[in-house]
Amino acid sequence: MMKKLTVLMLCLFFVHSLSAQDQQAIRITNQTTQKEFLIKENKRILVETTDGEKYSGRFSISNNTLIIDNKTLDIADIQYLKRNTLLTSTLTTGLLVYGGAITAGFGAIIGVFGNPAGFFLFIPAAGMIYAGIKSPNFHKKYKTEKDWTFETETLSQ
């Protein structure tokens, strides 16, 4: 009995040591107000580099570089960084596109069967659909020109 318990404890310790790896994160610090934010690895972000190229997706960190969609970006080349959560972008896109489609449908119904002024509902409907397609992101941009600095950090668990 004692032998089985010892083997079980050793196996559990081994499995725990394999799964307890350090996690990487990006520390975002404002130099004037000393506010700090931490974005852990594998979260969805939107990054623009000094070249003007935009990258979006889940990121990983390796040797002071970000890897987004198999593209390697140096942390010093980041112009701005922004969270890009899937839930927020899906909800806003869905609400705006479907709301615009419903508004356009009501405008058509009112215009055909009632008052021709109902066709004016196509104007806000088109705006809502366009805004939904452009997928607005309401998260804060952390720009380097506004004294935000980016650095990688290893979090121990």
Side-chain angles (χ1 to χ4, degrees):
M1 178 68 177
M2 190 67 167
K3 191 183 232 184
K4 289 181 181 179
L5 185 62
T6 306
V7 170
L8 178 66
M9 294 299 284
L10 283 173
C11 288
L12 287 175
F13 176 73
F14 182 70
V15 167
H16 177 69
S17 66
L18 283 178
S19 65
Q21 297 177 357
D22 292 335
Q23 187 175 15
Q24 299 283 330
I26 298 175
R27 181 173 298 280
I28 305 168
T29 308
N30 191 321
Q31 297 300 317
T32 56
T33 62
Q34 295 304 314
K35 283 188 180 180
E36 290 185 350
F37 296 99
L38 199 66
I39 301 176
K40 292 181 182 177
E41 200 172 31
N42 293 323
K43 299 290 183 187
R44 290 174 48 93
I45 60 172
L46 175 69
V47 174
E48 183 176 329
T49 61
T50 54
D51 303 344
E53 296 180 21
K54 292 183 180 179
Y55 300 98
S56 178
R58 295 187 184 275
F59 77 96
S60 61
I61 298 173
S62 142
N63 298 332
N64 254 359
T65 59
L66 296 179
I67 301 170
I68 301 175
D69 293 334
N70 296 327
K71 304 246 186 333
T72 304
L73 308 170
D74 192 23
I75 200 114
D77 293 338
I78 295 176
Q79 181 86 22
Y80 73 79
L81 186 139
K82 178 184 219 185
R83 285 292 312 267
N84 190 20
T85 57
L86 185 62
L87 179 67
T88 304
S89 60
T90 304
L91 283 178
T92 55
T93 300
L95 287 175
L96 288 172
V97 169
Y98 290 123
I102 289 170
T103 305
F106 279 132
I109 290 170
I110 292 170
V112 170
F113 295 115
N115 189 356
F119 288 118
F120 285 119
L121 285 176
F122 282 122
I123 297 170
M128 289 174 70
I129 292 172
Y130 176 76
I133 290 172
K134 291 297 283 183
S135 184
N137 187 341
F138 300 111
H139 292 284
K140 180 179 174 75
K141 273 187 188 176
Y142 302 106
K143 296 182 178 183
T144 54
E145 62 192 33
K146 292 189 177 180
D147 289 334
W148 290 99
T149 59
F150 311 110
E151 58 189 358
T152 59
E153 183 175 308
T154 302
L155 304 174
S156 59
Q157 296 180 355

